[in-house]
Amino acid sequence: MLEYEELEEIIDTVTSKITLANRMGELETLLEKWELLDLIRSEPVYETKKDGIILVIGDSEVKENNLDGIIKSLGLDKNRFEFCLGYDKPKTYQYSKLQYNTNYRAVIFGPVPHSSTGKKDSGSVIAEMKSHEGYPRVEVLSSNHALKITKTNFKNKLEELISENYI
């Protein structure tokens, strides 16, 4: 057991390190290293249900029944999936219902119009959801550097989410 003076010296040193880390913008890193990061989290981390709905949204040349086949081949329950396919439907989709809705686990985007109702002040609804709290995880499907839903990238994305134990 330490004497009071020895303990006070340690407290002063720790306080100095915390103050310096804060000034240098490294407080989170320091607290994470000390496994004390939860001390500065003012709000609980938002988490969705692991068995929640996976929304697939965007224009797709792949038919919904083909996507259902991929889902089934991976052993996933097709009832967990909600589809909003096409180019016009995503324009008016109620994206606001996704925010702080723990029933939605992920949103998988294909091509969607930039002028969608859910974009608010952001450049697109995808940017809006990625940059604001309370939305489910956002995944974007692309092929040849363009947003696109293909059988291959859809299957690969689901396999990735499964391997992460996310879905």
Side-chain angles (χ1 to χ4, degrees), residues 8-24 26-27 30 34:
E8 193 170 85
E9 187 176 319
I10 291 172
I11 291 171
D12 288 344
T13 302
V14 169
T15 302
S16 295
K17 287 188 182 276
I18 290 172
T19 303
L20 179 61
N22 188 48
R23 274 194 230 132
M24 296 178 69
E26 298 174 358
L27 182 59
L30 179 65
W34 291 350

Side-chain angles (χ1 to χ4, degrees), residues 81-93:
F81 287 79
E82 180 181 310
F83 294 97
C84 182
L85 301 178
Y87 194 74
D88 291 327
K89 285 182 182 179
K91 279 184 185 179
T92 57
Y93 186 85

Side-chain angles (χ1 to χ4, degrees), residues 3-68:
E3 296 293 323
Y4 178 77
E5 291 79 25
E6 294 170 310
L7 185 59
E8 193 170 85
E9 187 176 319
I10 291 172
I11 291 171
D12 288 344
T13 302
V14 169
T15 302
S16 295
K17 287 188 182 276
I18 290 172
T19 303
L20 179 61
N22 188 48
R23 274 194 230 132
M24 296 178 69
E26 298 174 358
L27 182 59
E28 279 191 37
T29 305
L30 179 65
L31 292 177
E32 184 176 20
K33 185 177 175 181
W34 291 350
E35 297 181 9
L36 297 172
L37 193 55
D38 57 326
L39 293 175
I40 61 169
R41 292 244 165 97
S42 59
E43 299 175 25
V45 175
Y46 175 73
E47 189 60 52
T48 57
K49 295 177 184 173
K50 185 175 179 205
D51 63 347
I53 298 166
I54 300 157
L55 172 62
V56 182
I57 190 162
D59 196 21
S60 176
E61 293 176 18
V62 181
K63 304 279 187 237
E64 188 174 323
N65 64 338
N66 290 334
L67 298 174
D68 280 339

